[in-house]
């Protein structure tokens, strides 16, 4: 019970650092999967630009698969942490078991899409036969073998809910290392392994994900002793599933909106394939920075949820204060790196004709990182305090209601070249600032209604 005692008694600032660092590393490594694939693919001997465009087009579905897995895990994480804070270990076991049942359902849906829906999805965004072939091949592999990323996401949250974020990081590191080692071997063909190109990148990714999932399953079974592990707890319980998704559904929608946003932006930029590819490449760099905020959010949520279960106002307020402070620090660092070294990132991807568009996107969109990070932290706080609707509203503002109409309107005024496309990039900082102001209002109201009256 040492981990539960830590969640209860350790000073929040110290707890935030101790839990946050491994979670931040975990999320950063998750973002590395996509960056590494693009970097190796961008340096293929033949068809590198078509391959980069293909990876840009498949990225929204990869985001969507992760969204459903992580969102279900977020709901389980907050419910499990709250039940452990209340001492209700039986319900905690049911929450964990039902999350695994949901994982099976999620995988079946991904498998069916991989078998029957991939080609129609890719052809909706491009008419280039080479890009269609590469994108279909890559995405089908990722969907058919998606059980790795689905169950990794769930076991990661189960370990984080009990304060064992260090072990989830170990699983993430192992998977990332395997992916990085296999990428050049399978893409370029090294030793006895044949050259597989884009398909090799897909296989390297899913193999790393499966290894991570298996390792975290072992950690979960051996270390999460606060509640029982039994197949009987996987029996669907409508009440438990409803509670998981009361918290997790806004998180799923929030991440799924990323998928929709990237897909629609690809359609808006369809008139210029170089700008389309540049946006896809920058989005992976952007996700690397924002995943730092997501990692810290995954520390903020269980810490505040546990304190909320204890009815500890002081620990809740400390969680909010330190969570926001460390998020801003991370985002300042991320913004500084991307503003100073855009050319380095362009060279990493061998961006070719997309280089100037990529650098222009990085210069402008990076301005939004501080506001975007604060919005991510707000959402973790809302979820911990059982205010998922507010989290959903912020997601809708950031990734649908403001950003897409604004980008669409700006695209009307685009003529030709990088200078014209730059107008579209300004939709991002404007959107994040507006959402941040709304989020601050939500936070003040939630504190008044749910926190201030606690002991």
């Amino acid at each position: 019970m040492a981990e539960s005692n830590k969640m209860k008694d350790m000073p929040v600032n110290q707890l935030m650092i101790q839990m946050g660092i491994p979670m931040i590393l975990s999320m950063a490594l998750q973002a590395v999967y996509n960056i590494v694939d693009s970097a190796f693919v961008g340096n293929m001997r033949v068809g590198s630009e078509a391959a980069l465009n293909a990876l840009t087009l498949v990225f929204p579905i990869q985001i969507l698969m992760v969204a459903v897995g992580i969102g279900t895990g977020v709901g389980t994480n907050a419910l499990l942490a709250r039940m452990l804070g209340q001492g209700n270990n039986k319900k905690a076991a049911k929450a964990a078991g039902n999350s695994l049942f949901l994982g099976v359902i999620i995988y079946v849906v991904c498998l069916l899409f991989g078998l029957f829906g991939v080609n129609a999805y890719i052809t909706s965004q491009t008419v280039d036969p080479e890009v269609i072939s590469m994108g279909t091949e890559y995405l089908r592999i990722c969907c058919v073998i998606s059980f790795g990323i689905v169950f990794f996401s769930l076991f990661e949250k189960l370990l984080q809910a009990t304060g064992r974020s260090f072990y989830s990081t170990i699983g993430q590191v192992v998977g990332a290392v395997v992916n990085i080692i296999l990428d050049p071997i399978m893409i370029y063909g090294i030793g006895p392994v044949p050259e597989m190109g884009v398909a090799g990148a897909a296989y390297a990714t899913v193999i790393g994900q499966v290894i991570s999932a298996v390792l975290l399953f072992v950690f979960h079974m051996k270390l999460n002793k606060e509640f029982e592990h039994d197949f009987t707890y996987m029996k669907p319980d409508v009440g438990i599933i409803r509670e998981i998704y009361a918290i997790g559904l806004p998180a799923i929608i929030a991440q799924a909106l990323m998928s929709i946003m990237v897909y629609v932006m690809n359609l808006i930029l369809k008139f210029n394939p170089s700008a389309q590819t540049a946006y896809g490449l920058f989005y992976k760099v952007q996700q690397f920075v924002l995943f730092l905020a997501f990692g810290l959010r995954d520390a903020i949520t269980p810490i505040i949820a546990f304190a909320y279960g204890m009815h500890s106002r002081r620990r809740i307020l400390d969680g909010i204060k330190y969570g926001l402070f460390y998020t801003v620090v991370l985002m300042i660092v991320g913004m500084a790196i991307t503003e100073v070294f855009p050319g380095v990132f362009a060279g990493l991807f061998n961006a070719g004709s997309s280089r100037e568009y990529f650098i222009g996107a990085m210069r402008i969109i990076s301005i939004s990182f501080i506001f975007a990070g604060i919005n991510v932290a707000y959402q973790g706080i809302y979820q911990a305090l059982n205010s998922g609707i507010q989290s959903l509203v912020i997601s809708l503002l950031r990734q649908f209601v403001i950003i897409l109409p604004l980008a669409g309107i700006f695209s009307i005024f685009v003529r030709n070249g990088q200078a014209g496309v730059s107008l579209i990039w300004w939709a991002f900082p404007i959107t994040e600032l507006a959402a941040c102001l709304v989020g601050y209002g939500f936070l003040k109201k939630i504190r008044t209604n749910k926190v201030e009256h606690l002991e």
Side-chain angles (χ1 to χ4, degrees), residues 87-226:
N88 190 344
N89 293 14
K90 179 104 174 157
K91 190 171 181 180
K94 287 184 177 180
N98 273 253
S99 73
L100 299 181
F101 164 77
L102 293 169
V104 174
I105 302 299
I106 294 166
Y107 169 63
V108 170
V109 173
C110 293
L111 173 64
L112 292 173
F113 178 80
L115 295 175
F116 304 110
V118 167
N119 187 259
Y121 167 78
I122 296 295
T123 54
S124 71
Q125 301 173 84
T126 183
V127 295
D128 187 322
E130 186 178 17
V131 174
I132 291 172
S133 175
M134 289 181 172
T136 300
E137 185 177 30
Y138 183 95
L139 187 54
R140 181 165 286 129
I141 293 167
C142 289
C143 289
V144 170
I145 315 179
S146 60
F147 57 84
I149 188 59
V150 171
F151 285 99
F152 167 79
S153 300
L154 294 176
F155 288 125
E156 178 186 45
K157 301 304 179 190
L158 291 173
L159 288 163
Q160 290 172 358
T162 58
R164 296 182 172 91
S165 55
F166 174 74
Y167 296 95
S168 68
T169 302
I170 292 176
Q172 185 70 269
V173 169
V174 171
V177 170
V178 169
N179 182 30
I180 292 168
I181 292 172
L182 291 181
D183 256 331
I185 294 173
M186 304 184 85
I187 292 173
Y188 307 138
I190 297 176
V193 179
E195 182 178 350
M196 290 186 277
V198 167
Y203 281 120
T205 296
V206 297
I207 290 170
Q209 291 167 348
V210 170
I211 289 173
S212 292
V214 170
L215 189 55
L216 292 197
F217 169 72
V218 173
F219 288 152
H220 167 69
M221 296 300 293
K222 289 186 174 295
L223 300 175
N224 278 345
K225 299 298 186 183
E226 289 82 358

Side-chain angles (χ1 to χ4, degrees), residues 378-387 390-391 439 442-443 446:
Y378 281 160
Q379 290 176 294
I381 295 166
Y382 302 157
Q383 290 159 7
L385 297 174
N386 205 21
S387 299
Q390 286 85 343
S391 177
F442 284 159
L443 181 60
I446 291 170

Side-chain angles (χ1 to χ4, degrees), residues 63-81 92 94-107 109-110 149-161 234 237 240-256 297-298 301 383:
I63 297 171
L64 187 59
M65 289 190 294
V66 172
V68 178
I70 287 183
T72 302
V74 165
T76 306
N77 181 327
L79 177 60
L80 187 59
K94 287 184 177 180
N98 273 253
S99 73
L100 299 181
F101 164 77
L102 293 169
V104 174
I105 302 299
I106 294 166
Y107 169 63
V109 173
C110 293
I149 188 59
V150 171
F151 285 99
F152 167 79
S153 300
L154 294 176
F155 288 125
E156 178 186 45
K157 301 304 179 190
L158 291 173
L159 288 163
Q160 290 172 358
M234 290 183 65
D237 184 314
I240 294 290
I241 292 173
R242 185 183 297 116
E243 287 193 71
I244 288 174
Y245 282 123
I247 303 166
L249 186 59
I252 291 174
I253 295 173
Q255 299 238 13
R297 178 204 63 188
D298 288 344
T301 300
Q383 290 159 7

